[in-house]
Amino acid sequence: MMQALSAADAGKLAAALCAVELVEDGMRLGLGTGSTAAWMVRCLAHRAKREGMRLTCVPTSTRTGTLARVLGLNVVTLEEAGQLDVTIDGADEFDPQFRLIKGGGGAHLQEKIVAAASDRMVVITDPSKEVAQLGAFPLPVEITPFGQSVTRARIEAVLAGAAVARRDARLRLVDGKPFVTDEGNLTVDLFLDRIDAPEALDTALLAIPGVVETGLFLGICDTVVIGHPDGRAELRRKGAEPETRRMDLSVVASLPAG
Ligand code: 5RP
């Protein structure tokens, strides 16, 4: 019997299956973080086992690393893998130029390092994350705990002069306590509503001592896969005509548990 899938999960599965079709035997892969990436890891493990593929996988968070290992994928560090062929990851927003906001799951530092060390970055997503202009999703900025109040004040000063629609910076909390990243850092979420000049904002934020990384991924992603609940996956590649593929969602019954 087919496992009951919510519409959201069906779309994520469609995107994940389509992205995993792009993987070839022998590849070195970056594995993203988040709920869509978790579907991709399950699909990847299933295909790798079924086809006896030799893959080398670099996770972008502790949680993805744990899932990938449990599902039998060959997990190594980025240092061991070196340059990667492709990273497959989710995103919180993407625009027509394939610029992204990431980090809703708090892993954007490792995600950006791994994606930047990859020849290609494939984003797996759903239609709700497509925007004409970035900024509706709060922009995560990872900062060091040391000097955090000074760093936050400087972030606010940058926002005062930035081309954005709203200027609200909040320390991310979980259960009332500061959220701590895999690197032991803090996250400030910037509620901006609309970012008119993402490159300029990124440059200004990264120039602040204490800012480790922003969730803006600019010029990194070259492929977006948009999954739909009916199993369609829209494959958009830079410089190529978009195509639509149909995924068999009944495979969910054969996937290893997430
Ligand atoms: C984690 C991320 C995720 O890719 C992003 O938050 C999307 O997650 P999901 O697939 O659960 O919607 O950037 O840092």
Side-chain angles (χ1 to χ4, degrees), residues 214-234:
T214 79
L216 284 166
F217 283 50
L218 308 173
I220 297 177
C221 168
D222 54 75
T223 302
V224 173
V225 182
I226 305 166
H228 295 267
D230 62 2
R232 278 177 304 121
E234 290 175 51

Side-chain angles (χ1 to χ4, degrees), residues 12 32-37 63 89-92 101-108 111 124 126 129 137:
K12 290 174 189 185
T33 295
S35 57
T36 320
R63 81 198 110 119
D89 199 351
D92 298 301
I101 287 182
K102 285 186 49 57
H108 64 275
E111 289 171 337
I124 43 178
D126 65 71
K129 292 175 174 175
F137 191 90

Side-chain angles (χ1 to χ4, degrees), residues 191-212:
F191 294 76
L192 310 173
D193 287 357
R194 197 189 66 243
I195 304 171
D196 286 336
E199 283 79 6
L201 178 63
D202 200 40
T203 302
L205 290 170
L206 290 172
I208 300 172
V211 168
V212 183

Side-chain angles (χ1 to χ4, degrees), residues 3-75:
Q3 182 184 320
L5 277 175
S6 67
D9 278 338
K12 290 174 189 185
L13 176 59
L17 284 167
C18 181
V20 165
E21 279 186 355
L22 306 176
V23 173
E24 292 166 21
D25 190 26
M27 275 188 164
R28 285 166 299 173
L29 303 172
L31 307 181
T33 295
S35 57
T36 320
W39 278 107
M40 178 274 297
V41 173
R42 291 173 65 192
C43 296
L44 185 69
H46 177 64
R47 182 171 170 217
K49 188 170 176 196
R50 199 186 56 213
E51 298 181 22
M53 295 170 97
R54 294 160 300 111
L55 303 172
T56 303
C57 301
V58 176
T60 54
S61 62
T62 306
R63 81 198 110 119
T64 296
T66 302
L67 177 64
R69 270 186 213 94
V70 165
L71 299 188
L73 288 165
N74 172 32
V75 174

